[in-house]
Amino acid sequence: MAEFLWYIPNQVTPGHRGDAVSADHNSLETLTAQAKALEDHGWQGALIGTGWGRPDTFTVATALAARTTTFEPLIAIRPGYWQPAHFASAAASLDHLTGGRLRINIVSGKDDLAAYGAAEEDQADRYGRTREFIQLVRRLWTEENVTYRGDHYQVTGSTVTPRIAVRADRPHPKFYFGGASAAAERVAATEADVQLFWGEPLAGVRERIDRLRASSKDLGRTLPPLEFGLRITTFVRDTTEQAWAEAEAKVAEMAKKHDPGAPRRAAVGQQRLLDLAARGEVLDDNLYTTPGTVGGGGAGTTWLVGSAEDVAKSLRRYQDLGITHFVLSDTPYLPEIRRQGEQLLPLLRD
């Protein structure tokens, strides 16, 4: 059964990806209004992003969980910023207090490491650290008196309390994970619960799913089968024509503010998205690649554009490939939570 989450932008600077600019954009009241709107309009929860120089993600998630009843935060965290035992304890406590509403998104991309005391690492070390982090946190959640000796982390006789409660078929919060490099895919194939893709065309997602499934088998995965998710911008309007007219107008406004000469550091997954524009402005039926050429990044690099029926049809095609976790968003965030909750989600759940 498919699951549908949104995105909550814990940002210091207002106007994220075209959101409404206001002085209280990251206040508890504003973010709580979004979380409660998600509950009221059929969403299961939201991804809360991470990065040095932004409000602390875990703190924001805890505050929102305390003010809601069903909202499930998908908390992005970085190995290095957190020590595994410290994180396992904090997450177990929040999972306990919320009745099992916690989800975790592991982020291994580069950050301002020196600012919080971590050292720069090459790709092999970064993903080696990520592998150990997931392995150790999973053990701390499911075992007692854990002793672990890795290249990056060590604990002796460690027991986390309160213990993680097993709920239905979920022994502990799921680990979502992104990354498109070979090193990232090896970690996903063996350690993650859900591999998140950005908005690539169907053929590219199909190829990656097939490769990850084969790698899981070849690398001797011992966990339940890897699941797959899609993180993408969904630009929905009442009609197809209105959607494309407003999407093109929004991109034109983005282009006015974009500096094409500005340096742009792109990880493998991001570069895959940026390269799509060379294949055409619109791929598949309605995957709009132009936003990435005028400064759109991450999940804002490509957009699914159209009426609710158009976008639902496209998302169902991803679902047919094996995608079961969807993290959608558009701006302004609060109105789009309501619009897409009312117009898009019922079509996806029919």
Side-chain angles (χ1 to χ4, degrees):
M1 183 175 178
E3 299 183 340
F4 299 95
L5 291 88
W6 193 252
Y7 176 79
I8 286 183
N10 57 322
Q11 300 281 339
V12 170
T13 305
H16 182 251
R17 290 186 181 150
D19 197 14
V21 175
S22 64
D24 63 347
H25 70 283
N26 67 346
S27 69
L28 181 56
E29 288 68 27
T30 296
L31 298 180
T32 298
Q34 295 184 27
K36 288 186 173 180
L38 290 165
E39 290 185 322
D40 293 341
H41 290 83
W43 303 91
Q44 287 173 271
L47 170 64
I48 306 177
T50 188
W52 188 253
R54 299 166 66 169
D56 178 72
T57 310
F58 204 94
T59 304
V60 172
T62 301
L64 296 182
R67 289 198 167 193
T68 53
T69 55
T70 63
F71 169 77
E72 299 182 20
L74 173 54
I75 305 175
I77 66 103
R78 291 177 180 271
Y81 179 85
W82 285 91
Q83 288 293 312
H86 182 200
F87 172 75
S89 177
S93 297
L94 184 55
D95 193 64
H96 168 71
L97 292 171
T98 60
R101 288 192 270 146
L102 202 61
R103 302 165 185 241
I104 304 301
N105 179 34
I106 301 291
V107 180
S108 291
K110 292 186 177 181
D111 195 16
D112 189 357
L113 303 176
Y116 54 83
E120 190 70 39
E121 298 172 311
D122 62 22
Q123 186 188 68
D125 281 335
R126 276 194 294 120
Y127 284 106
R129 177 182 294 277
T130 296
R131 179 189 299 277
E132 289 189 14
F133 186 94
I134 299 174
Q135 288 176 345
L136 180 50
V137 171
R138 201 186 291 272
R139 286 190 60 188
L140 289 166
W141 280 344
T142 57
E143 303 174 23
E144 297 185 12
N145 298 314
V146 175
T147 295
Y148 183 94
R149 294 287 181 267
D151 293 331
H152 302 277
Y153 300 114
Q154 299 82 37
V155 299
T156 301
S158 184
T159 299
V160 165
T161 55
R163 304 300 296 152
I164 286 281
V166 176
R167 302 173 188 277
D169 61 346
R170 192 210 76 163
H172 53 68
K174 286 186 175 180
F175 287 109
Y176 291 65
F177 182 73
S181 67
E185 290 193 345
R186 284 192 294 272
V187 173
T190 55
E191 309 300 338
D193 296 308
V194 180
Q195 166 72 39
L196 279 177
F197 303 121
W198 276 335
E200 295 188 40
L202 292 158
V205 171
R206 180 187 298 111
E207 175 190 353
R208 293 191 62 195
I209 287 175
D210 289 345
R211 185 166 62 247
L212 283 161
R213 284 175 171 164
S215 294
S216 292
K217 183 177 179 180
D218 293 342
L219 295 171
R221 180 183 175 90
T222 58
L223 298 168
L226 182 63
E227 301 171 33
F228 303 100
L230 182 70
R231 170 74 185 101
I232 193 169
T233 294
T234 41
F235 195 100
V236 175
R237 297 296 184 268
D238 291 341
T239 68
T240 304
E241 294 74 19
Q242 180 188 3
W244 279 106
E246 293 190 21
E248 289 170 354
K250 189 171 183 176
V251 164
E253 287 300 310
M254 291 169 60
K256 293 177 183 178
K257 304 172 185 176
H258 175 56
D259 177 6
R264 193 165 190 175
R265 184 180 69 185
V268 173
Q270 177 68 75
Q271 191 60 53
R272 285 172 65 99
L273 295 186
L274 295 173
D275 291 344
L276 293 175
R279 293 165 51 184
E281 285 193 329
V282 181
L283 302 177
D284 293 340
D285 291 334
N286 57 338
L287 185 67
Y288 192 26
T289 66
T290 308
T293 69
V294 293
T301 311
T302 57
W303 305 349
L304 284 176
V305 177
S307 66
E309 291 77 9
D310 297 334
V311 174
K313 179 181 177 182
S314 295
L315 292 174
R316 283 195 294 268
R317 293 172 72 188
Y318 285 102
Q319 193 172 352
D320 290 342
L321 297 180
I323 301 292
T324 53
H325 301 261
F326 293 87
V327 184
L328 313 178
S329 69
D330 191 23
T331 57
Y333 288 107
L334 183 57
E336 289 304 317
I337 288 170
R338 295 167 176 156
R339 183 209 303 267
Q340 297 194 32
E342 294 170 358
Q343 297 182 13
L344 179 62
L345 287 188
L347 298 176
L348 294 171
R349 291 197 165 113
D350 283 345

